Amino acid sequence: MAGSSRKNHKRSRKTSRANGRTRAERAPQQAFDELLADVRRDPQDFAARLAVATFYLTHNLHDKIPEVLEPVQSQYMSRDVRRRIQFDRLLAFGYATTHQFTRAEEAVRRGVSACPDAVDFRFIEAYVAISLGEYRRAVDAGAACLASMERHDRGERVEGDFAVTPAHRSQLLNIIGSAHMDSGSLRDSIAPFEQSIRLDGGNYLPYLNLARAWYRLGERQRARDTVQRGMEACRQVQELRMLAAALQDRPTVSACMIVKNEEELLPGCLASIRDWVDEIVVVDTGSSDRTVAIAESYGARVYHQPWEGDFSKHRNFSIEHATCDWVLIIDADEEFVTEDVSKLKPLLSDERYDIVCLDVFNVYANKPDQVTFLPSMRLFRRRLNLRYEGIVHNQLRVPSDARTARIGVRIKHYGYGLSQEKMRRKVERSRALLEKQLADNPNDPFALFNYAQLLRGKDDFDRDDAERILHAATRVVELTDPSKRGRRHLHLMALDQLAWCNFKLQRYDEALTACDQALEIRPDYLDALLLRGHILSTLQRYEEARQSYVAYLREQAIYEPSKEHDPLILQHVDSRTTAHYGLALLAHDEGRTDEEKKHLQKVGALTPGYMKSALRLGQILLAEGDLAGAETQFRIQRETNREGVEALLGLASVANRRQDAGAAERYLHDVLAIEPANTTALTRLVEICRDSGRYDQAVELLGRASGGPGGDTARETSIAQSYFELGRFREAADHYRRIIERGDAGAETYNDLANCYFKLEELDQAELFYREALSIRPGDYSAARNLGLALARQERYEEAIEFLEAVAGSTDESADLVPVVGDLYRRLGQAGRALSFYERHLATNPGDTLALFHLSECYLALGHTDSARMGYRRILQIDPGFRPAQDRIAALSGAFAGVDAGR
């Protein structure tokens, strides 16, 4: 059931389960079927479920236990102690087998509390502890389990104990040995492994683990002998054969490192190398934390040397204590990519090479989308007697005729993902050393480059740092000849520093010049191509920027780090996300939505939630009517930035388009929880409240919006419009006046303010602001129309006609003004002028009885009695109850009767 690694745990369980199924097939099916029938008849039958689970336990079908017992867990406390112990024993095995370690621990805790001497609970506790990497606890639980097993042997048995066979005891000893080995106590692991083998000589796991322990102790022959014993005795030998092949005579490797207070990252580093290097040499320069203890727990030989401010001295001291064929240089904040070991091993036996250049990738914890790269000589034959020079950013002194291999073997460096305080101390230490180095040799181009690079990486980069970077990088360019291969990389990287720094200082022409100079030397220089795109985009030279981004993507697609021969530190070895985002921004600025969408989709595929890519893509999809797609993108943006409100506003818009006012309202309230004075959310909520008849809530929200910080014209306008729509014209006018007082008003604001006064019947004020709107934007339809109506309301008909006649009927929107102008002419007694306006209106609105009546009145005033009578009769055909038409016809009929009588 247990081994020295989770992989081995899993394999062992798989084998046991397969064997269990075979035994289950041979079990008395009738009895088991009856138990299952009992459970089906009464799912709450606690005893029947315990019996089924016990069957699974004894037939090695442990993974089936939880699904049988969990449905009756609520009955646990109502049962007697004996039943509870049985229940916990079964669950502990079931949960442990299915890797539900927290639940297994809870069952074990209850079981140990009720029955401290039970073998099974201690056995599971040891298994869970080794699985979780809690080595001390695994050893203690294993010792307690062995003591319980001895009591069991003496006849002091606990009813129901299952793990009491020699095979279980063998597994337990293998767990104890694995815990000692994985915690670095290699010598202490030997005896448990040997005892495990004696108890169950056919189990391959203790042989495998014992061989690894001997190997890590430097006892290679003993390791080979152990593997051979296992292959002769074990039921499974595949992994033993693999280890035997790995233990054949081969070149050996010493990992050398210098450390100080590295307890946080050191375990990851050592775990990545311990299974394939032959020795680990650690030079500690004064740690005050657990660094030394951690190193020793991984079997490292630790040497102490007080820090003297010279990295090369301490690095060389570590190399002097190496004893193997090859020396691997690795730092505590780095991890070797273990899957690449298979690529490396054949090269170690290749006599054509003395040095191996590895690929170092800098990983930034707070910037998961950013990875930088540099090739680095990290592996060399010890017989070359190579040493480092330079007190900081030390360089390996390599002979000109060195035979170097480039291979795609990776090291990941996490040293730029430390806490802010640790990074500050790290920068201060490196800066002091570099400044000392430059004081001794001010024309050292490597030191100058590193000084500029250090300042470039500061979070609190300022103008003083910028000037220092420019000075140092300029000196590197002056001191290096790009035609000389050994200096070309410094020249190129210094040009990149100049370009980047000038870009930060908004000196775009100087930045572009430096980029172009670098690309003249090396047209595929990734950093310069990408930065050139940013510079040209900022300068709004869109087509050139697009070409640079596309060139970056083209060169990045064919770039192979393992074939890089210039030791460049590449800031953008894979910044496809950034390039596509840059192309999306270009397309957005140029209004090419389809192209913007294409690049945003590529950004999302590479780095979901990058910058505001998901937000912008969601807005595009929303505009296209793809509500499901828009919702997905807004949710991605929301997951990326929990404090941002744009995604919530987008989700509210999606809900609104779906006519789901409740969901929209919830999202808008989420916005206000983050930004209580967010005008967009407040005004949208006002609309929802108003539409649902909750006017009191709408007014309260408007009050909150009004009380927010001033200075935002858009906010003031939204509030004013909302007050206007609610019929609170005085409050709306106050907000429009604030905009005007700030000097931010256009013709529309003056028109809206005038509308407020029109509604308030303060027509002189309305007239004043309508005229102001027309002075800003002559010919403005809304202002002219409204001014005409205001003048008409004041019975200033001739002035009103001046404005209304010009716009009446000019658009569909102004068609309603045509009869209004007719009315004004009629009131002025100009029936002939009025007539034409009524006729224009009735041509498209023949059923308008009031207009038809006024037309008839004009005919009558002009003496066209027959036409008037026809008009009145037409009205009565449409509306027989239209009284004014009835009265006119009656009057006209009486008049004609009087004429006839007089005759």
Side-chain angles (χ1 to χ4, degrees):
M1 185 176 183
S4 64
S5 67
R6 294 188 185 181
K7 177 181 176 184
N8 289 336
H9 296 164
K10 185 176 180 180
R11 183 174 288 107
S12 178
R13 288 195 303 274
K14 188 183 292 184
T15 303
S16 299
R17 182 173 174 183
N19 293 338
R21 286 198 183 103
T22 302
R23 287 192 289 274
E25 290 168 2
R26 298 197 297 268
Q29 284 297 312
Q30 183 176 356
F32 182 60
D33 291 343
E34 290 175 359
L35 291 172
L36 289 177
D38 289 342
V39 171
R40 283 194 291 270
R41 277 193 301 272
D42 182 4
Q44 296 302 308
D45 188 333
F46 194 85
R49 286 185 178 272
L50 280 181
V52 171
T54 302
F55 178 90
Y56 287 145
L57 177 69
T58 57
H59 291 82
N60 284 331
L61 299 173
H62 302 172
D63 57 339
K64 291 180 173 291
I65 294 174
E67 65 187 68
V68 174
L69 295 183
E70 284 176 346
V72 293
Q73 198 154 7
S74 61
Q75 300 184 35
Y76 175 82
M77 293 308 296
S78 65
R79 300 295 164 179
D80 59 44
V81 173
R82 185 177 62 83
R83 286 285 182 88
R84 288 206 298 270
I85 291 173
Q86 185 184 4
F87 185 83
D88 285 327
R89 173 186 287 112
L90 293 165
L91 265 188
F93 275 102
Y95 284 143
T97 301
T98 54
H99 274 190
Q100 299 182 68
F101 295 128
T102 302
R103 293 183 173 185
E105 286 184 301
E106 180 62 22
V108 166
R109 184 191 62 76
R110 294 194 304 261
V112 169
S113 176
C115 189
D117 294 333
V119 171
D120 288 349
F121 292 120
R122 297 297 187 183
F123 182 84
I124 294 298
E125 184 180 9
Y127 174 73
V128 169
I130 189 69
S131 300
L132 295 174
E134 298 177 7
Y135 305 125
R136 184 68 260 166
R137 181 179 161 211
V139 171
D140 292 343
C145 187
L146 286 174
S148 294
M149 286 178 171
E150 290 173 3
R151 285 192 290 273
H152 181 279
D153 294 342
R154 294 194 300 267
E156 303 171 21
R157 301 180 179 181
V158 172
E159 181 184 356
D161 269 337
F162 174 75
V164 291
T165 67
H168 285 100
R169 194 169 304 199
S170 174
Q171 289 182 35
L172 180 66
L173 287 162
N174 184 59
I175 289 173
I176 295 171
S178 297
H180 282 306
M181 181 173 69
D182 290 347
S183 65
S185 302
L186 296 172
R187 291 287 176 189
D188 293 335
S189 72
I190 301 299
F193 288 142
E194 290 284 14
Q195 293 174 48
S196 176
I197 289 169
R198 283 196 294 274
L199 285 167
D200 185 1
N203 181 5
Y204 76 98
L205 285 174
Y207 289 103
L208 195 67
N209 293 326
L210 178 59
R212 288 171 173 161
W214 283 128
Y215 182 79
R216 287 171 60 185
L217 285 166
E219 301 278 358
R220 298 186 198 176
Q221 190 54 50
R222 284 191 173 184
R224 285 192 284 267
D225 291 344
T226 301
V227 172
Q228 185 60 38
R229 285 166 53 199
M231 287 194 295
E232 292 171 359
C234 292
R235 298 178 289 271
Q236 291 182 333
V237 297
Q238 182 179 359
E239 289 203 41
L240 289 167
R241 284 176 181 161
M242 292 170 60
L243 184 57
L247 291 174
Q248 296 301 314
D249 286 334
R250 59 169 180 79
T252 57
V253 179
S254 298
C256 295
M257 52 200 313
I258 56 176
V259 298
K260 183 177 181 180
N261 293 334
E262 298 285 1
E263 66 178 2
E264 182 179 350
L265 296 175
L266 182 60
C269 172
L270 296 177
S272 74
I273 61 174
R274 69 175 175 185
D275 287 335
W276 66 272
V277 302
D278 300 276
E279 69 174 358
I280 301 174
V281 178
V282 171
V283 173
D284 184 79
T285 60
S287 294
S288 57
D289 61 3
R290 296 180 55 253
T291 293
V292 171
I294 291 170
E296 290 175 341
S297 75
Y298 281 83
R301 297 203 316 275
V302 179
Y303 299 89
H304 297 274
Q305 187 179 50
W307 174 248
E308 297 183 25
D310 188 337
F311 278 93
S312 290
K313 178 174 181 176
H314 303 301
R315 185 81 72 196
N316 294 335
F317 184 68
S318 73
I319 295 171
E320 289 165 6
H321 287 85
T323 63
C324 295
D325 302 316
W326 288 81
V327 173
L328 169 70
I329 301 298
I330 191 166
D331 289 330
D333 57 2
E334 296 177 331
E335 290 182 13
F336 197 95
V337 178
T338 54
E339 65 192 69
D340 291 348
V341 173
S342 59
K343 300 179 189 176
L344 181 62
K345 285 184 175 179
L347 204 62
L348 300 179
S349 301
D350 194 330
E351 291 298 329
R352 292 176 299 170
Y353 303 110
D354 296 322
I355 301 173
V356 181
C357 193
L358 306 182
D359 296 338
V360 179
F361 291 88
N362 296 314
V363 180
Y364 300 79
N366 58 339
K367 301 175 183 176
D369 55 290
Q370 181 178 347
V371 175
T372 61
F373 157 78
L374 70 153
S376 183
M377 294 179 182
R378 294 297 194 91
L379 194 62
F380 51 87
R381 293 187 189 275
R382 187 170 62 88
R383 70 182 184 218
L384 297 179
N385 200 32
L386 301 183
R387 294 295 184 268
Y388 283 85
E389 62 182 10
I391 62 175
V392 61
H393 294 292
N394 42 283
Q395 288 182 292
L396 189 65
R397 294 197 304 269
V398 178
S400 58
D401 59 348
R403 300 175 302 170
T404 303
R406 286 289 287 115
I407 185 172
V409 173
R410 296 163 292 171
I411 289 176
K412 291 185 178 180
H413 175 229
Y414 296 95
Y416 295 113
L418 304 177
S419 67
Q420 189 172 4
E421 178 58 25
K422 286 185 177 180
M423 286 303 300
R424 185 189 63 77
R425 291 199 302 266
K426 184 175 181 178
V427 168
E428 287 178 354
R429 179 196 63 190
S430 297
R431 181 170 184 169
L433 292 172
L434 281 167
E435 288 175 348
K436 180 179 183 299
Q437 193 172 357
L438 287 170
D440 295 337
N441 184 1
N443 292 320
D444 181 346
F446 186 63
L448 286 163
F449 162 76
N450 282 315
Y451 188 61
Q453 196 75 351
L454 179 77
L455 296 177
R456 175 179 177 173
K458 287 178 58 180
D459 289 334
D460 55 348
F461 168 85
D462 58 24
R463 182 166 289 274
D464 288 340
D465 289 329
E467 295 305 326
R468 294 186 185 98
I469 292 171
L470 293 174
H471 171 75
T474 300
R475 288 295 295 142
V476 175
V477 171
E478 294 168 350
L479 292 166
T480 54
D481 183 350
S483 65
K484 294 182 178 179
R485 194 159 192 86
R487 292 298 190 187
R488 186 169 86 149
H489 68 290
L490 290 176
H491 192 90
L492 284 167
M493 292 189 297
L495 286 171
D496 180 63
Q497 290 171 337
L498 288 173
W500 176 87
C501 194
N502 278 309
F503 179 65
K504 286 287 186 180
L505 294 172
Q506 300 181 10
R507 301 172 184 172
Y508 301 123
D509 291 338
E510 293 91 331
L512 191 59
T513 298
C515 275
D516 289 341
Q517 288 174 355
L519 291 169
E520 267 186 55
I521 300 167
R522 182 162 169 170
D524 66 344
Y525 187 12
L526 294 176
D527 289 357
L529 284 170
L530 189 67
L531 181 54
R532 189 172 188 272
H534 297 336
I535 297 167
L536 291 166
S537 177
T538 304
L539 292 171
Q540 297 184 353
R541 292 162 61 175
Y542 295 138
E543 184 54 37
E544 294 173 86
R546 185 178 300 105
Q547 291 172 6
S548 286
Y549 286 134
V550 170
Y552 171 84
L553 291 169
R554 181 180 63 247
E555 296 298 339
Q556 193 280 333
I558 61 176
Y559 183 76
E560 295 185 42
S562 61
K563 294 183 179 179
E564 176 61 77
H565 291 285
D566 281 324
L568 292 168
I569 300 174
L570 282 177
Q571 305 289 326
H572 299 289
V573 65
D574 186 1
S575 291
R576 289 172 293 163
T577 297
T578 305
H580 280 297
Y581 193 66
L583 287 165
L585 294 178
L586 292 176
H588 175 76
D589 288 347
E590 294 181 305
R592 292 180 287 107
T593 304
D594 288 344
E595 186 172 342
E596 181 187 4
K597 177 181 174 182
K598 177 185 72 174
H599 288 294
L600 289 173
Q601 288 171 332
K602 290 181 178 179
V603 170
L606 291 166
T607 312
Y610 178 79
M611 302 287 281
K612 291 190 175 182
S613 57
L615 176 68
R616 179 57 192 149
L617 182 56
Q619 292 168 341
I620 292 173
L621 294 173
L622 180 63
E624 292 176 348
D626 182 358
L627 301 185
E631 181 179 22
T632 297
Q633 294 303 317
F634 290 139
R635 291 195 183 282
I636 291 172
Q637 185 70 36
R638 176 76 177 131
E639 291 168 6
T640 307
N641 181 9
R642 300 296 298 178
E643 297 303 315
V645 300
E646 295 96 336
L648 287 169
L649 290 172
L651 289 167
S653 296
V654 170
N656 185 58
R657 292 278 288 275
R658 288 174 172 159
Q659 298 184 340
D660 186 349
E665 188 168 355
R666 288 193 297 273
Y667 288 127
L668 294 171
H669 279 297
D670 288 343
V671 171
L672 295 178
I674 299 170
E675 294 183 5
N678 186 284
T679 305
T680 303
L682 287 167
T683 51
R684 288 191 191 178
L685 280 170
V686 167
E687 293 172 7
I688 292 173
C689 292
R690 189 175 65 241
D691 291 344
S692 60
R694 291 176 286 159
Y695 294 106
D696 289 345
Q697 290 183 42
V699 170
E700 186 273 329
L701 288 166
L702 283 172
R704 287 172 59 185
S706 302
D712 185 342
T713 297
R715 181 178 66 81
E716 292 282 5
T717 301
S718 296
I719 294 170
Q721 289 172 344
S722 297
Y723 272 125
F724 188 90
E725 291 174 12
L726 285 172
R728 298 182 61 162
F729 305 120
R730 185 69 64 191
E731 288 97 328
D734 290 342
H735 284 281
Y736 284 127
R737 277 192 173 278
R738 289 183 195 175
I739 298 171
I740 291 171
E741 289 167 1
R742 284 202 301 266
D744 293 339
E748 187 173 357
T749 301
Y750 280 98
N751 183 68
D752 290 339
L753 175 59
N755 287 340
C756 295
Y757 288 120
F758 187 93
K759 291 287 188 179
L760 291 167
E761 296 292 334
E762 297 177 17
L763 299 176
D764 55 340
Q765 288 292 302
E767 178 186 351
L768 173 67
F769 289 111
Y770 285 138
R771 291 187 184 278
E772 189 66 34
L774 285 170
S775 70
I776 296 172
R777 191 163 60 196
D780 181 84
Y781 165 75
S782 294
R785 175 187 188 279
N786 295 336
L787 176 57
L789 294 174
L791 292 169
R793 184 74 65 87
Q794 298 175 70
E795 300 183 1
R796 293 159 61 185
Y797 300 137
E798 291 183 354
E799 294 176 76
I801 288 173
E802 178 185 348
F803 290 98
L804 295 178
E805 189 172 7
V807 296
S810 59
T811 65
D812 291 342
E813 184 183 7
S814 64
D816 62 327
L817 294 178
V818 174
V820 173
V821 175
D823 290 343
L824 294 176
Y825 274 121
R826 183 174 55 80
R827 288 174 182 176
L828 288 170
Q830 299 181 33
R833 299 292 298 274
L835 194 67
S836 62
F837 284 92
Y838 290 132
E839 287 175 341
R840 281 172 56 190
H841 175 68
L842 289 167
T844 54
N845 299 275
D848 187 341
T849 54
L850 184 60
L852 189 56
F853 180 76
H854 290 152
L855 174 69
S856 301
E857 293 287 280
C858 289
Y859 279 128
L860 186 62
L862 292 170
H864 304 303
T865 307
D866 291 340
S867 295
R869 185 182 290 109
M870 290 176 59
Y872 298 136
R873 287 173 178 169
R874 174 61 182 155
I875 292 169
L876 293 175
Q877 288 175 350
I878 298 171
D879 181 5
F882 193 90
R883 186 59 181 266
Q886 293 174 349
D887 292 343
R888 281 289 188 228
I889 288 177
L892 288 173
S893 297
F896 279 107
V899 171
D900 291 341
R903 284 180 184 172

